[in-house]
Amino acid sequence: MVETVDFIPDRVYSVIMNTIAEFIKQKRKEAGLTQEEFAIRSGLGLRFVRELEQGKETVRMDKVNQALSMFGMKAVPGRKDD
């Protein structure tokens, strides 16, 4: 079951997804991978990779973490440090 997070304001969530999108895109390019190659290696669909890199806000977080795991990262809920 995929849980949704409804306590993050829309504009904040948008910034978070755009940050993740840029990170994935940058790291993929640094690794010398096309979107298609990245999709195959990560076990994700090409359409998902494209939408993720475009900052689509309605992507599944389990798949976002699958993509991030390619670079030793994951998205987790947490409090912002003061």
Side-chain angles (χ1 to χ4, degrees):
M1 180 166 111
V2 178
E3 294 183 31
T4 59
V5 178
D6 59 2
F7 59 88
I8 299 175
D10 288 344
R11 92 180 153 72
V12 173
Y13 188 73
S14 178
V15 170
I16 292 168
M17 290 312 299
N18 283 328
T19 301
I20 290 172
E22 287 301 315
F23 176 83
I24 294 291
K25 187 175 185 177
Q26 177 186 347
K27 292 297 188 180
R28 174 185 60 77
K29 287 183 174 185
E30 286 176 7
L33 298 172
T34 65
Q35 286 180 330
E36 186 173 9
E37 292 167 333
F38 180 78
I40 291 168
R41 289 188 185 190
S42 65
L44 297 165
L46 179 57
R47 179 177 173 182
F48 177 83
V49 171
R50 287 181 176 154
E51 289 175 347
L52 176 61
E53 287 190 2
Q54 291 171 358
K56 183 176 178 185
E57 296 177 23
T58 57
V59 293
R60 289 180 38 185
M61 289 308 293
D62 60 327
K63 289 187 174 192
V64 170
N65 277 326
Q66 190 173 341
L68 286 170
S69 72
M70 293 286 292
F71 308 110
M73 304 291 284
K74 68 179 176 177
V76 296
R79 297 189 184 275
K80 180 179 176 182
D81 292 331
D82 292 313

